[in-house]
Amino acid sequence: MDEINVFSELSHVLQDRLSALSITTPTPVQSKIIPELIKGKSILFQSETGTGKTFAYLLPFIQKLEAEENKEQAVRLLICTPTLELASQIRDAAKTVTFLKTALFLGGAPIKRQTDLLKEKPDIVIGNPARLLELIRLKKLRLNGLEGVVFDEVDRLVKRESKTDTEALLKMFPEHIQTAGCSATITNAVRQFFSGIDSVVMPPEDVLRKRITHWALYAEQRDKIDLLRSLLAVLNPEKVLIFTSRSDQVENIVSKLMYKKIDCAGLHAKEDKSKRKASIDRFRSGKCPILVTSDLAARGLDIQGITHVIQMDLPDDDDFFIHRAGRTARAGKTGINIVIGDEYEMHRYSTLEKKLKIIVYPKILYKGKVTAPENMQ
């Protein structure tokens, strides 16, 4: 018997919004968690990066909030995260499926601007524990209308640098409040912190090995952009994200692609917010199939349907490589991760292949096709 699609438990409005995003089939974690949260249960769950955790908790809470009128004009859902990047990603995800007012409250930004923002009565607030706690203690962020609390990346929230603030924040909430916590890893410290809440550990999907195909294309530094242009012409990818470690290279790559009449956009870390949003929106909608970015500028970027990732260099940090590759093969799909590297980078890639237990396939461009070197004839 076919498994019931848990999206059928969501409102028709939410289902239509998901369909507009080409999301019609829930991921395993969504199938497991959405029904539990719709029932009003509190739950702590573990699932790998890229498996759809954000929508697993957002959709049921948004359904609940949209079904009820906000009579007190109060904050109704509070989401606590350790970083600006994750907070921005959650806000962007929420905006794709709801018109409920959502606001970010993070340390480092002027608190006066944030207290003014609270006067606009957001339904959903997202922030780091220290700033949320500060706003509550100042009586600017009131919890009288709160209906749900989410702790995302809980493993980081209970580490030494955040634990005190996270503990203090948790104590601010009424005991009956519906709580969700999630992370790619749930440690003993997390279980102790959220004692009394049922936990679910999803089986590993091993996205990096099972759903992403890894290619290596050799090029000297001076030839990399020429190879990139040829590769794009051959692949004609539906949606490709191109990474470079150096921010100043973003503009260089974009200009050289545009010169060859290849439609693309670039993201710079210090770019004007409106220009950044316009570039991301063009890419997200599919109007522009190629987005070039630095690692810094790509933080918090979570876009569905990326078919290819091309890394113009091999980052020094292995986590950066994993983060880059993981932009494709999201939510149950497959994807291709390509590294264009020189001799030194290819040697490092070989080492990384063993370390991460992935299979890297050497490729070349030959007679207008991407092929294995041994197929040259």
Side-chain angles (χ1 to χ4, degrees):
M1 191 170 74
D2 291 339
E3 222 175 274
I4 295 172
N5 185 328
V6 299
F7 287 165
S8 65
E9 297 185 33
L10 300 171
S11 68
H12 291 300
V13 172
L14 271 178
Q15 289 182 56
D16 289 344
R17 290 172 190 161
L18 288 171
S19 293
L21 296 170
S22 301
I23 300 173
T24 54
T25 305
T27 66
V29 69
Q30 290 163 1
S31 292
K32 184 72 176 176
I33 300 304
I34 287 173
E36 299 300 312
L37 290 177
I38 285 176
K39 291 174 192 169
K41 286 184 66 175
S42 289
I43 199 158
L44 178 65
F45 63 97
Q46 173 182 310
S47 188
E48 289 175 304
T49 300
T51 53
K53 293 189 294 294
T54 305
F55 274 161
Y57 64 73
L58 269 183
L59 292 170
F61 277 120
I62 284 172
Q63 167 151 292
K64 183 178 181 181
L65 301 190
E66 288 189 340
E68 301 169 358
E69 187 183 349
N70 189 1
K71 293 178 181 177
E72 297 187 48
Q73 290 296 295
V75 171
R76 295 188 289 162
L77 175 63
L78 185 147
I79 303 173
C80 182
T81 78
T83 64
L84 164 64
E85 296 78 38
L86 181 58
S88 300
Q89 177 183 313
I90 295 165
R91 178 193 57 188
D92 292 346
K95 283 184 173 181
T96 64
V97 290
T98 186
F99 294 107
L100 292 169
K101 193 172 288 185
T102 305
L104 291 185
F105 297 95
L106 297 143
I111 198 162
K112 172 68 167 60
R113 191 183 304 163
Q114 294 180 350
T115 55
D116 289 343
L117 198 56
L118 281 166
K119 292 174 185 175
E120 297 177 19
K121 312 293 184 187
D123 294 278
I124 302 170
V125 302
I126 307 164
N128 61 305
R131 180 50 58 95
L132 292 173
L133 195 59
E134 185 178 5
L135 289 166
I136 293 168
R137 286 171 173 165
L138 288 170
K139 301 193 184 321
K140 300 297 182 182
L141 173 53
R142 299 183 182 277
L143 307 178
N144 52 303
L146 203 62
E147 297 188 38
V149 177
V150 178
F151 292 88
D152 201 332
E153 286 197 4
V154 289
D155 57 332
R156 293 182 65 179
L157 289 171
V158 300
K159 284 186 175 175
R160 185 165 47 188
E161 60 270 20
S162 301
K163 186 177 181 182
T164 302
D165 290 330
T166 307
E167 279 180 338
L169 187 62
L170 191 62
K171 289 174 183 174
M172 294 282 184
F173 306 130
E175 283 187 19
H176 69 274
I177 203 80
Q178 186 179 7
T179 303
C182 67
S183 182
T185 52
I186 292 180
T187 60
N188 287 333
V190 171
R191 293 183 195 281
Q192 289 168 11
F193 193 85
F194 292 96
S195 61
I197 295 179
D198 288 344
S199 62
V200 170
V201 176
M202 299 299 295
E205 295 182 32
D206 205 359
V207 175
L208 200 66
R209 286 195 291 171
K210 292 182 178 176
R211 297 215 304 264
I212 300 175
T213 302
H214 301 274
W215 292 358
L217 276 86
Y218 171 80
E220 294 290 349
Q221 291 293 331
R222 64 180 178 274
D223 300 325
K224 283 188 175 188
I225 298 177
D226 285 337
L227 178 60
L228 172 66
R229 284 195 303 237
S230 300
L231 181 64
L232 291 171
V234 169
L235 292 176
N236 191 23
E238 187 178 328
K239 192 175 284 191
V240 57
L241 191 59
I242 300 171
F243 279 97
T244 175
S245 296
R246 289 169 46 196
S247 294
D248 62 340
Q249 270 292 85
V250 172
E251 195 168 340
N252 186 32
I253 294 168
V254 169
S255 65
K256 289 186 176 180
L257 293 181
M258 295 286 277
Y259 180 74
K260 291 290 186 179
K261 297 186 168 43
I262 298 172
D263 186 20
C264 61
L267 279 190
H268 307 267
K270 296 180 181 177
E271 192 168 34
D272 174 82
K273 283 185 179 179
S274 60
K275 287 183 180 177
R276 175 183 168 86
K277 185 178 184 302
S279 295
I280 292 172
D281 286 348
R282 282 185 68 221
F283 184 60
R284 192 189 299 277
S285 68
K287 290 177 182 175
C288 174
I290 301 166
L291 186 64
V292 185
T293 181
S294 65
D295 295 291
L296 187 61
R299 285 181 182 175
L301 200 63
D302 188 16
I303 293 174
Q304 298 294 321
I306 294 174
T307 54
H308 296 73
V309 167
I310 300 177
Q311 307 195 34
M312 296 297 289
D313 48 44
L314 201 61
D316 294 330
D317 190 324
D318 295 351
D319 286 341
F320 278 31
F321 171 87
I322 295 167
H323 177 270
R324 288 174 172 190
R327 297 308 93 193
T328 188
R330 310 289 284 184
K333 293 184 169 63
T334 59
I336 296 174
N337 170 55
I338 304 165
V339 173
I340 298 177
D342 60 18
E343 187 174 351
Y344 172 69
E345 288 167 323
M346 289 295 104
H347 177 72
R348 286 184 49 230
Y349 200 9
S350 178
T351 304
L352 192 61
E353 177 183 21
K354 295 181 181 72
K355 183 177 179 182
L356 298 178
K357 296 181 173 62
I358 58 177
I359 298 173
V360 175
Y361 298 94
K363 299 287 182 181
I364 58 168
L365 291 185
Y366 183 65
K367 293 185 176 180
K369 291 183 179 179
V370 178
T371 185
E374 58 268 24
N375 293 337
M376 278 184 66
Q377 288 182 5

